[in-house]
Amino acid sequence: NNKVLFTADYYEKKTNDMLLSVPTPTSTGFGSALQNAGSMENKGLEFQLSTKNIATSNLTWNTDFNISFNKNKVINIVGNTIHTGAINPAGDAFNTAIVQEGQPLGSFYGKIFQGVDAATGMAKFMKDGSGEDSVGIIGNANPKYVFGFNNTVRYKNWTLDLFFQGVQGNQIFNATRVLTESMALVMNQSASVVNRWKHAGDITNMPKATPNDWSNATPSTRFIEDGSYVRLKALTISYNLSSPSLSKYKVSRCLVYLTAQNLFTFTKYTGFDPEVSAFSVKSASATNQNTAPGVDYGTYPQSRSFILGLNLSF
């Protein structure tokens, strides 16, 4: 009786002629030029389930659930790699992400943090074959899946809408911590630096203070965090006033409602908001920055809002 609707989709899309900032000979007067020079592949599955759980004259309850799985891969770019997601904490520029052929868009770039040396208090990083700090892909901003879950319950004149939204399996590069845990400048720092290394033999994951030295704060797995979350994105409760007296004023419908947005968020992420991307919009001063999703760099969190409304129909 159309009480259950299930939809499954599989897609595979290849995007060609993507705009890239391609290096050009400096004799042209420019260091780079935008060209249609890139390609990327996306493939995945999407499922949607809609159910009518209860349907009576006084009570109805409908549920909608959707979940999607997507994988993307960079197929071709000029030069094989692009370093992107640039942050500039007080003059020391770092790249937090990399676009590389064969890898997903949203790959984080840096060193592998291996704790703090108890003797010196300096950060330790994994070494390569030549004894230098190993640098490469250290994380992925892409989630394993995203989902939405909506419930609508109506009882007589009352209606309750609940919408949950979530992301699982993604990582966030908390670049804000590069600045607030660097202890390289005379400025406010995160409260977490109270647990920094102070004396030989101290066991901690917070390096020592190093004035004017960013050695401990270079991009690394130290700043990679789990970005998974579940959020009560919207809650609306409404009441439909139905009274013969309303017809005197030629009012056919009067709905009073209260909506709360971003009410609760369940996450292990230590930043302000796990639903974040500092470089989601490309600007003239941020070349290729929109190729670095999942970086939190002083990003303003989404606000929690409450809306009280009245909907009248005449």
Side-chain angles (χ1 to χ4, degrees):
N1 297 319
N2 293 319
K3 289 187 176 180
V4 177
L5 174 65
F6 177 74
T7 305
D9 291 298
Y10 170 79
Y11 61 89
E12 187 170 332
K13 180 181 180 182
K14 186 175 181 180
T15 305
N16 297 308
D17 298 328
M18 298 173 61
L19 282 172
L20 290 177
S21 182
V22 178
T24 59
T26 54
S27 58
T28 62
F30 300 93
S32 62
L34 284 176
Q35 298 180 19
N36 297 97
S39 61
M40 183 174 66
E41 179 185 76
N42 280 278
K43 59 175 64 176
L45 290 165
E46 294 182 346
F47 302 98
Q48 182 171 342
L49 176 66
S50 298
T51 61
K52 297 178 181 179
N53 308 312
I54 299 176
T56 66
S57 57
N58 288 329
L59 177 65
T60 62
W61 173 23
N62 297 330
T63 297
D64 292 288
F65 175 77
N66 63 78
I67 187 170
S68 61
F69 306 81
N70 179 74
K71 287 187 177 182
N72 78 67
K73 182 171 64 174
V74 176
I75 303 299
N76 178 56
I77 56 173
V78 176
N80 297 322
T81 60
I82 296 175
H83 295 282
T84 183
I87 61 174
N88 188 15
D92 285 66
F94 302 117
N95 287 306
T96 58
I98 187 171
V99 182
Q100 188 173 44
E101 290 183 2
Q103 299 296 329
L105 188 69
S107 297
F108 299 128
Y109 179 80
K111 302 178 181 180
I112 298 177
F113 180 66
Q114 293 188 312
V116 175
D117 189 310
T120 65
M122 296 298 289
K124 296 186 298 184
F125 301 103
M126 180 179 288
K127 304 295 183 181
D128 58 21
S130 62
E132 299 295 325
D133 291 344
S134 179
V135 182
I137 293 175
I138 57 173
N140 188 352
N142 295 284
K144 293 181 179 178
Y145 60 90
V146 299
F147 68 91
F149 183 54
N150 189 77
N151 281 276
T152 301
V153 179
R154 293 186 179 89
Y155 177 69
K156 294 185 177 179
N157 291 347
W158 290 94
T159 301
L160 174 66
D161 279 292
L162 289 169
F163 174 54
F164 288 90
Q165 179 249 343
V167 174
Q168 295 294 310
N170 65 308
Q171 293 176 309
I172 295 175
F173 193 109
N174 193 341
T176 305
R177 289 175 49 205
V178 172
L179 186 62
T180 60
E181 294 182 6
S182 68
M183 293 174 283
L185 299 173
V186 182
M187 61 183 298
N188 283 339
Q189 297 285 276
S190 166
S192 59
V193 304
V194 171
N195 298 318
R196 68 188 181 277
W197 183 97
K198 301 182 184 70
H199 308 286
D202 285 351
I203 306 299
T204 177
N205 279 324
M206 183 64 64
K208 69 178 181 180
T210 54
N212 300 315
D213 182 357
W214 290 86
S215 301
N216 289 329
T218 56
S220 70
T221 52
R222 173 185 166 196
F223 305 110
I224 300 292
E225 299 188 35
D226 182 3
S228 303
Y229 69 88
V230 177
R231 169 170 283 169
L232 179 52
K233 193 70 175 177
L235 181 153
T236 300
I237 185 169
S238 60
Y239 185 76
N240 189 16
L241 291 169
S242 58
S243 172
S245 60
L246 293 175
S247 59
K248 297 180 182 179
Y249 305 98
K250 299 182 180 180
V251 177
S252 60
R253 182 172 179 264
C254 181
L255 183 71
V256 182
Y257 64 90
L258 175 65
T259 296
Q261 296 177 334
N262 299 319
L263 196 57
F264 298 110
T265 303
F266 306 93
T267 183
K268 294 180 180 180
Y269 181 59
T270 62
F272 286 123
D273 190 350
E275 192 177 355
V276 65
S277 185
F279 306 129
S280 59
V281 178
K282 183 176 178 179
S283 64
S285 61
T287 304
N288 290 324
Q289 298 288 53
N290 61 338
T291 54
V295 177
D296 185 358
Y297 188 47
T299 312
Y300 197 83
Q302 297 189 58
S303 61
R304 179 182 298 153
S305 61
F306 298 90
I307 303 169
L308 179 63
L310 180 66
N311 191 323
L312 295 173
S313 299
F314 296 91

